[in-house]
């Protein structure tokens, strides 16, 4: 585990050009703490760069972009990038484009395009029609490639992909020039046209930038900038059989769109040389050239942030689709009941740095809990029902007991809980006998039914295995909203639902999909999948008002946790619920289950 294991990131060392100053570092308690370290950096060094650029009059208005490749669903790491790019534009009065980086048709699909748009919107950001595709620029990109060829800065190589790799050299050894490197521009132009016109099979030819095969940056050793792919594209159909590579496409797309700050993750740090090289050598108006800035990827314990691995889980049926509530995809977290506000808060709290780190899962859950605690209506749900018969309560009678929807927010209103002679409580809330620490129901003692009466347990019935099947109680009629008449204190309060009117449904108890905090680093990540990451509770007994919950509605089931009506398996009038997060940090427990 890396040292910066928790989300509070202190005392980071940055690259030299970053301005060092005292900063406010947000902590997970929600308060801001003043760092005492002299050289602590701003929580968001990119923000500082933008402030300086604006102050120096370098730009009138900033423009950022979020550039997903539509080859999978977005995950928690993308949420960070979305919040950063859209958040900067919002905070500095700029604009943020949504750009699909769609240069690899074999892995892309419009299903992913649609899901990405839905996820960005759900997170609370919009792009006002600025929806772009790298493929919109294929004609221009082709033109700029021709410009490089004409300047003698690009050539068509006919080495095989394996040979290109072999010629590239290693970190210790320089590469070797391809025998095709010194072709004349006219010949390169003719061959590039032949590539475009379908005259080469895949792997037979490619276009390479002519830079420096001895560069200490491998990405500068004559990188491939166009390859042949006889493949239909989801946006351009069969128009092209050559496709530009990411490094060539991204910088030009940024420049075409007038991006001022092109923000990406650290693995592209070296590629910044290539980004600048391409823009320096093409004729695209360059007085306000975009600049690339890198920040560290977000890694969260127990979460996978590799689209390839997430896709494998989906394709091999380990999970119930990209939006399985155990997936760290935005759609999975939505289905689980995480809220956009909680995710935004999480991204804000973890900050933006160049330090590689792993954020604890409990930091994410804390944000979810904080938001739901403040906003989710309360409800009662008995997951493992046990009959409780109140022998002195009149048969056939039903009272409606008023219960507030939220203890602190009167404006959220109240609901009626039907109360009758026979109710259901959770199996875990009754023991025949127990010591004084046990505050729930035991024979011969009292407990309060939440929003209702105090009851006294008299006896219980058992089946042939000795399992308690029913508890007989007496209730105190004068204790509704009042203390015991004799002033006796009743410490325990348990939740319940009326047996006759309970809404019976399925509740899915989700926990982490993996037992390894860093599944992505495991040799075989599939072997770290937990068998019990989903426990299905059939026939849970819920208070009747929950029948009307609509997909996505979230509740605090009192004393149990936060739950969300499932968006896939719920029917009208019959929602199924997913555990969003427990009431208290459950991570110590999960780790113990390894
Ligand atoms: P791929 O391997 O498919 O390229 P990717 O994770 O880089 O996967 P993209 O769709 O290219 O996915 O990412 C879109 C944007 O989100 C990029 O700017 C990328 O840097 C950023 N991003 C991706 N993963 C993370 C992460 N874990 N933390 C922060 N930003 C991320
Ligand atoms: Mg990428």
């Amino acid at each position: 585990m890396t040292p910066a294991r928790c989300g509070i990131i202190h005392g980071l060392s940055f690259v030299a050009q970053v301005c060092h100053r005292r900063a406010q570092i947000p902590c997970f308690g929600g308060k801001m703490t003043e760092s005492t370290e002299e050289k602590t950096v701003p929580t968001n060094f990119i923000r500082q760069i933008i402030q300086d650029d604006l102050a120096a009059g370098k730009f009138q208005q900033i423009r950022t972009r979020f550039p997903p490749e539509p080859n999978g669903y977005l995950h928690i790491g993308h949420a960070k990038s979305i919040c950063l790019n859209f958040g900067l534009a919002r905070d500095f009065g700029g604009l943020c484009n949504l750009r699909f980086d769609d240069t690899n048709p074999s892995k892309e699909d419009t299903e992913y395009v649609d899901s990405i748009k839905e996820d960005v919107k759900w997170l609370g950001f919009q792009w006002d029609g600025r929806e772009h595709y790298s493929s919109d620029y294929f004609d221009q990109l082709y033109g700029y490639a021709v410009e490089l060829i004409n300047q003698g800065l690009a050539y068509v190589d006919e080495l095989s992909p394996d040979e290109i790799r072999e010629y590239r050299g290693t970190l210790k050894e320089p590469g070797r020039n391809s025998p095709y490197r010194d072709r004349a521009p006219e010949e390169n132009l003719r061959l590039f046209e032949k590539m475009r016109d379908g005259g080469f099979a895949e792997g037979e030819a490619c276009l390479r930038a002519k830079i420096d095969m001895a560069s200490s940056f491998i990405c500068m050793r004559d990188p491939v900038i166009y390859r042949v792919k006889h493949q239909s594209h989801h946006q351009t159909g069969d128009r092209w059989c050559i496709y530009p590579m990411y490094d060539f496409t991204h910088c030009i797309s940024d420049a075409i769109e007038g991006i001022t700050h092109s923000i990406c993750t650290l693995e592209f740090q070296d590629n910044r040389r290539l980004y600048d090289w391409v823009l320096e050598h093409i004729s695209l108006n360059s007085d306000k050239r975009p600049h690339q800035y890198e920040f560290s990827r977000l890694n969260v314990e127990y979460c996978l942030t590799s689209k390839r691995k997430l896709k494998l889980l989906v394709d091999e049926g380990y999970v119930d689709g990209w939006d399985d509530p155990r997936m760290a995809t935005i759609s999975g977290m939505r289905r689980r009941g995480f809220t956009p506000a909680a995710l935004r808060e999480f991204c804000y709290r973890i900050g933006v740095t160049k330090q590689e780190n792993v954020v604890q899962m409990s930091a994410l859950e804390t944000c979810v809990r904080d938001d739901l605690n403040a906003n989710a209506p309360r409800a009662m749900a008995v997951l493992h029902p046990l009959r409780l018969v109140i022998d002195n309560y009149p048969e056939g009678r039903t009272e409606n007991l008023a219960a507030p929807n939220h203890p602190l927010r009167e404006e959220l209103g109240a609901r009626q809980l039907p109360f009758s002679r026979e109710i259901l409580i959770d199996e875990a809330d009754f023991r025949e006998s127990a010591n004084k620490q046990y505050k729930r129901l035991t024979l011969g003692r009292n407990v309060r039914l939440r929003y209702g009466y105090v009851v006294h347990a008299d006896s219980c019935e058992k089946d042939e295995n000795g399992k308690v099947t029913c508890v007989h109680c007496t209730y105190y009629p004068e204790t509704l909203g009042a203390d015991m008449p004799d002033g006796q204190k009743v410490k325990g309060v348990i939740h319940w639902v009326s047996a006759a009117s309970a809404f019976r449904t399925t509740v899915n108890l989700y926990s982490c999909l993996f037992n390894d905090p860093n599944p992505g680093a495991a040799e075989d990540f599939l072997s770290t999948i937990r068998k019990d990451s989903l426990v299905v509770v059939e026939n849970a007994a819920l208070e009747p008002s929950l029948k009307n919950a609509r997909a996505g509605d979230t509740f605090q089931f009192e004393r149990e946790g936060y739950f969300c009506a499932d968006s896939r398996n719920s029917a009208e009038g019959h929602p199924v619920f997913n555990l969003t997060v427990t009431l208290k940090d459950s991570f110590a427990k999960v780790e113990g289950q390894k």
Side-chain angles (χ1 to χ4, degrees), residues 5 300-303 336 338 359-366 369 510-517 530 580-582 584-594:
R5 189 160 178 266
V300 183
E301 277 182 349
Y302 300 101
C303 293
R336 176 95 175 238
F338 287 20
V359 177
Q360 285 185 324
M361 186 59 170
S362 59
L364 174 56
E365 288 200 348
T366 298
R369 231 176 251 124
Y510 291 107
S511 48
C512 283
L513 189 56
F514 305 102
N515 57 28
D516 187 327
R530 282 176 50 190
T580 305
V581 64
T582 50
K584 294 209 177 97
D585 188 353
S586 58
F587 267 81
K589 214 167 72 196
V590 171
E591 276 176 324
Q593 287 171 7
K594 259 187 255 174

Side-chain angles (χ1 to χ4, degrees), residues 66-69 71-83 112 115-117 119-120 122-123 265 267 295-300 302-311 313-314 322-324 326-334 338 343-344 346-347 350 364 514:
F66 172 62
E69 187 181 345
N71 60 354
Y73 281 58
L74 299 181
H75 54 61
I76 182 79
H78 295 116
K80 175 171 177 177
S81 180
I82 294 168
C83 290
Y112 302 133
S115 75
I116 289 169
K117 289 198 275 189
D119 288 349
V120 175
W122 177 78
L123 262 183
T265 36
E267 66 269 26
F295 69 101
S296 60
R297 292 175 74 84
L298 169 62
N299 301 299
V300 183
Y302 300 101
C303 293
L304 273 185
T305 46
S306 151
K307 279 190 276 191
R308 189 177 58 76
K309 288 179 181 160
L310 289 168
K311 186 166 185 318
L313 291 175
V314 176
W322 284 95
D323 65 352
D324 185 296
R326 291 164 295 180
M327 295 272 272
T329 51
I330 295 182
S331 51
M333 293 187 285
R334 171 166 64 234
F338 287 20
L343 288 180
R344 288 195 304 265
F346 173 68
C347 293
I350 54 177
L364 174 56
F514 305 102

Side-chain angles (χ1 to χ4, degrees), residues 421-459:
R421 187 169 193 268
E422 198 165 312
I423 63 170
L424 302 169
I425 63 167
D426 202 280
E427 280 172 5
D429 284 338
F430 174 75
R431 282 189 205 165
E432 281 187 81
S433 62
N435 64 21
K436 283 240 159 68
Q437 314 310 24
Y438 188 75
K439 296 284 184 301
R440 310 175 213 178
L441 191 60
T442 48
L443 291 182
R445 287 202 232 145
N446 295 337
V447 82
R448 181 175 292 277
L449 300 173
R450 182 82 164 135
Y451 308 118
Y453 300 96
V454 175
V455 293
H456 178 270
D458 302 314
S459 64

Side-chain angles (χ1 to χ4, degrees), residues 90-125:
R90 179 198 56 209
D91 295 350
F92 288 98
L95 297 170
C96 180
N97 294 359
L98 175 62
R99 177 180 337 125
F100 291 98
D101 226 325
D102 55 348
T103 54
N104 187 3
S106 38
K107 295 205 168 148
E108 297 163 5
D109 199 285
T110 46
E111 176 195 346
Y112 302 133
V113 170
D114 295 341
S115 75
I116 289 169
K117 289 198 275 189
E118 189 185 349
D119 288 349
V120 175
K121 261 191 247 161
W122 177 78
L123 262 183
F125 299 102

Side-chain angles (χ1 to χ4, degrees), residues 246-278:
Y246 170 88
D247 281 318
F248 182 66
T249 309
H250 202 82
C251 52
I252 296 178
S253 307
D254 280 348
I256 292 172
E257 291 176 19
I259 301 304
T260 55
H261 298 79
S262 179
I263 301 164
C264 63
T265 36
L266 271 177
E267 66 269 26
F268 293 103
Q269 194 157 321
D270 286 354
N271 302 52
R272 186 177 353 107
R273 274 107 197 143
L274 183 50
Y275 184 103
D276 291 337
W277 184 92
V278 171

Side-chain angles (χ1 to χ4, degrees), residues 14-21 41-59 61-62 64 84 88 92 260-264 272 289-295 352-354:
F14 278 81
V15 288
Q17 78 265 29
V18 176
C19 152
H20 290 246
R21 55 179 57 215
V41 292
T43 50
N44 188 335
F45 71 100
I46 294 175
R47 193 169 278 269
Q48 190 60 46
I49 291 170
I50 292 176
Q51 267 168 15
D52 294 347
D53 284 350
L54 288 172
K58 214 161 150 188
F59 307 103
Q61 188 187 39
I62 65 153
T64 55
L84 178 60
L88 287 169
F92 288 98
T260 55
H261 298 79
S262 179
I263 301 164
C264 63
R272 186 177 353 107
R289 209 186 285 156
H291 275 273
Q292 178 183 300
Y293 300 95
E294 308 89 22
F295 69 101
V352 179
T353 72
K354 277 183 179 279

